[in-house]
Amino acid sequence: MKNYRLKILHTHTHTRQSPHKLILGDNYDALNNLLISYENKIDVIYIDPPYNTGGSDLGYKDRFGKNVWLNFMKARMQLARKLLKNGGSVFVSVDDNMQAYLKILMDEIFGEENFIANIPRKTVAGGKQDEEKIITSHDYVVIYSMQKKMNKNSNFNSSNYRFKDERGCWALSTQLDKKGLSYQKSMDFPIDFDGKIFYPGEKIGLLGKVSWRWSKDLVEFGLKNNLIVNKDGRLYTKTYLEWEIVNTNDKQKFTFSKKEKGTPYKTNMFWDDNGEINLFNEHKYSNETATKMFKSFFSHLDTSNPTFAELIKKMYTKPIELMKDLIKLIPNNNEFVILDFFAGTGSTGHSVLKLNEEDGGKRQFILCTLENDDETNIGIDLCYERLTRIMQGKNANGKDVKDSIDYFTKHTSNKPFGGSLDVYRLKSLDCSLLTKSKIYDEINEENYEMKFKNKQEKINWIDTRFQNLLNHLDKGIK
């Protein structure tokens, strides 16, 4: 092995039975260690990285030059891409300050063709007061998916589908010569409907300037299958609740196909038809809601530990409802592995546990968070403590805290989620001062979910997998 200082996983608390993991230490080293066991095995990644605003982000520096921020993120995102499955999805929270730079970086690493959406999220009720600028009251979640597909909204309003025929409910809302479409000569032709000839744009005074939405072949299919309707002298097409027209690419050309349940979400899905607040613009997705819930876990410390209380006041944590609903966007989301390598106070883990409790899912989380910053032990005092309390109803010292935390009585019928958590620290090995034999002894294969029949198998594994890790560290920009 080369003369490197190698960071390896070292057990802090380990049940050998938990599907959930918390790694304490710098996430760059944590990601490199995860590559040993989880390369191409992570289904979902959610991160809330430093926004580069100068505020507090629980230990990670939050005021970089833009180039430094991009290098910082690029090194970690490249490792994350190696961990992600070929059909995996990535969600990243970001604000206006770095959104444009992040989009370009993610296009490069995850593929521009895999970009799904940039969804706004309401962060505060009133916005940050600034008399010189427009008040900002939102940030974004940038979404990429290798399978280029998201779940549909099954809770959409179906009241518009008020007509019915042999194919079920249908709506009449789209004109066959809808304005705004670019004119195409091949789509400008007469249609004989019930003995009357119709031309595109004729009814609205745009004859020769508007064409049909459908080709001649599709119009013929529509007439044959009663899909075209004359409404007030203008032709409309039916839109079915449960069926859609598909091109068969054969002699038949068109046929009907059963729709997936629901309708696609929209990036403006937080407004309904009347402009009222809905979904990601609801108060439950705000930072205020997230902070209030988090503080309920540590209310007993507010008076006895002023420094700790002050940290909580300026801490930024994401609401679990946001991450629960992001998870629901993912197809086949009932059993997967989700990674958050800017885990902070453990909101992603909390969301997974809550969702598993609600629907019986078997989702697994892997969290990476710093162990310490200048003010407190983030990893143990905040993240580990929070997860231990909601899983077991006890604090990290084993004391029953169920009755002292509002969360259980308000959100879980006074019942903890159950389960356990494996916690690892990153241990530093100076390879220049250790013999190969000592390095082999220091590396515990069980921390990487491996088991060998003999020592030679372990040696071969270390020589291969950890040499790869060292190569990553050699090439990476930390």
Side-chain angles (χ1 to χ4, degrees):
M1 288 189 176
K2 298 179 182 179
N3 293 332
Y4 287 102
R5 183 169 293 278
L6 179 66
K7 296 288 185 72
I8 64 170
L9 293 181
H10 179 68
T11 302
H12 176 72
T13 61
H14 199 176
T15 66
R16 311 286 188 205
Q17 297 175 348
S18 175
H20 308 301
K21 294 176 173 56
L22 171 62
I23 302 175
L24 306 174
D26 188 279
N27 56 15
Y28 183 81
D29 298 312
L31 291 170
N32 273 294
N33 274 272
L34 285 172
L35 274 173
I36 292 173
S37 303
Y38 284 91
E39 188 167 2
N40 198 34
K41 291 183 179 180
I42 300 296
D43 299 278
V44 183
I45 293 172
Y46 170 81
I47 57 171
D48 180 17
Y51 281 10
N52 204 22
T53 59
S56 170
D57 268 78
L58 292 179
Y60 284 101
K61 183 179 178 182
D62 193 26
R63 174 58 76 186
F64 301 93
K66 287 184 172 61
N67 287 340
V68 176
W69 187 89
L70 285 168
N71 285 336
F72 171 86
M73 290 297 297
K74 183 175 183 178
R76 287 154 177 79
M77 294 299 242
Q78 286 174 331
L79 296 176
R81 180 64 186 92
K82 293 177 183 293
L83 289 163
L84 194 67
K85 281 184 177 178
N86 292 333
S89 301
V90 185
F91 302 86
V92 183
S93 287
V94 67
D95 70 355
D96 284 315
N97 195 48
M98 299 306 294
Q99 184 274 331
Y101 299 94
L102 178 71
K103 173 68 168 61
I104 293 172
L105 176 64
M106 294 188 69
D107 280 348
E108 175 186 336
I109 294 174
F110 296 98
E112 184 178 359
E113 69 280 5
N114 295 315
F115 172 70
I116 298 295
N118 190 38
I119 301 179
R121 175 191 70 105
K122 182 176 182 178
T123 55
V124 291
K128 297 178 181 178
Q129 300 302 316
D130 189 335
E131 295 180 358
E132 302 298 324
K133 300 177 182 178
I134 296 174
I135 294 173
T136 301
S137 59
H138 71 279
D139 60 13
Y140 305 95
V141 180
V142 182
I143 305 174
Y144 284 71
S145 178
M146 304 301 111
Q147 55 182 316
K148 305 179 183 68
K149 182 180 181 182
M150 293 279 112
N151 276 341
K152 293 186 177 181
N153 180 10
S154 59
N155 298 317
F156 71 100
N157 184 0
S158 61
S159 61
N160 291 331
Y161 296 83
R162 52 195 178 90
F163 305 104
K164 194 171 184 178
D165 62 18
E166 67 276 9
R167 296 184 193 91
C169 297
W170 53 274
L172 194 67
S173 58
T174 308
Q175 304 90 354
L176 189 55
D177 59 348
K178 185 177 179 180
K179 288 192 296 183
L181 298 175
S182 59
Y183 178 79
Q184 297 183 54
K185 180 66 176 177
S186 62
M187 307 283 271
D188 185 353
F189 52 85
I191 294 178
D192 186 343
F193 184 85
D194 287 344
K196 183 179 178 180
I197 303 299
F198 291 82
Y199 290 91
E202 183 177 25
K203 178 69 176 179
I204 54 177
L206 294 174
L207 191 66
K209 297 180 180 179
V210 174
S211 51
W212 301 120
R213 290 187 297 109
W214 287 6
S215 66
K216 286 184 179 181
D217 289 336
L218 187 50
V219 166
E220 183 179 340
F221 178 83
L223 292 171
K224 182 179 179 181
N225 289 278
N226 192 29
L227 303 180
I228 298 175
V229 176
N230 178 358
K231 179 182 177 183
D232 300 326
R234 193 174 181 187
L235 298 184
Y236 285 69
T237 58
K238 294 181 180 180
T239 302
Y240 284 94
L241 178 62
E242 297 182 348
W243 296 92
E244 61 185 347
I245 302 170
V246 295
N247 192 326
T248 63
N249 294 317
D250 59 21
K251 292 182 180 179
Q252 190 177 351
K253 290 190 177 179
F254 300 101
T255 188
F256 293 100
S257 175
K258 193 79 170 179
K259 285 183 179 179
E260 294 182 35
K261 186 178 180 181
T263 59
Y265 283 104
K266 299 178 181 179
T267 54
N268 66 341
M269 58 189 170
F270 38 84
W271 289 290
D272 65 17
D273 292 338
N274 298 315
E276 298 297 327
I277 291 172
N278 195 7
L279 206 52
F280 284 178
N281 215 26
E282 289 185 24
H283 188 59
K284 68 179 180 179
Y285 299 106
S286 70
N287 291 341
E288 180 184 349
T289 298
T291 301
K292 183 183 291 186
M293 174 178 287
F294 182 78
K295 286 176 67 176
S296 71
F297 292 98
F298 302 99
S299 58
H300 64 295
L301 294 177
D302 282 357
T303 56
S304 63
N305 190 335
T307 301
F308 199 94
E310 186 62 30
L311 173 66
I312 290 178
K313 285 181 183 179
K314 68 179 183 179
M315 175 207 66
Y316 299 102
T317 183
K318 287 295 182 287
I320 67 169
E321 294 299 326
L322 169 68
M323 278 169 287
K324 279 172 52 183
D325 285 345
L326 289 175
I327 288 172
K328 291 175 183 178
L329 291 175
I330 303 165
N332 305 314
N333 64 48
N334 222 44
E335 186 172 356
F336 60 61
V337 181
I338 182 169
L339 168 66
D340 182 351
F341 52 92
F342 285 98
T345 62
S347 297
T348 298
H350 189 163
S351 305
V352 169
L353 292 169
K354 186 70 168 70
L355 198 53
N356 283 348
E357 184 210 34
E358 291 175 355
D359 64 12
K362 297 179 180 179
R363 305 169 189 88
Q364 169 191 350
F365 65 77
I366 301 175
L367 308 182
C368 308
T369 190
L370 287 172
E371 184 166 1
N372 298 286
D373 72 352
D374 294 336
E375 296 172 309
T376 190
N377 186 326
I378 298 168
I380 295 297
D381 289 348
L382 294 181
C383 186
Y384 178 59
E385 182 74 20
R386 174 189 193 175
L387 296 173
T388 300
R389 289 177 178 227
I390 61 177
M391 295 172 92
Q392 301 176 12
K394 301 178 184 295
N395 63 21
N397 295 321
K399 182 180 178 181
D400 193 336
V401 293
K402 185 188 304 181
D403 295 332
S404 67
I405 300 179
D406 293 338
Y407 180 81
F408 290 112
T409 56
K410 289 182 179 179
H411 301 282
T412 65
S413 303
N414 213 33
K415 182 181 178 182
F417 295 133
S420 58
L421 180 65
D422 286 346
V423 185
Y424 305 88
R425 282 187 163 96
L426 288 165
K427 181 178 180 179
S428 181
L429 297 181
D430 189 340
C431 298
S432 64
L433 300 178
L434 298 174
T435 65
K436 266 195 172 185
S437 178
K438 182 62 175 175
I439 294 173
Y440 295 143
D441 291 339
E442 287 282 350
I443 296 173
N444 184 348
E445 65 270 26
E446 292 188 359
N447 291 341
Y448 299 88
E449 302 180 14
M450 298 297 294
K451 194 171 183 179
F452 301 107
K453 296 178 181 178
N454 54 60
K455 188 171 183 177
Q456 187 58 49
E457 283 189 357
K458 177 180 177 178
I459 290 172
N460 293 341
W461 170 72
I462 291 174
D463 285 345
T464 301
R465 300 303 293 167
F466 282 80
Q467 186 61 58
N468 289 340
L469 186 151
L470 288 171
N471 289 337
H472 282 302
L473 292 174
D474 189 26
K475 296 175 183 177
I477 302 173
K478 192 170 175 182

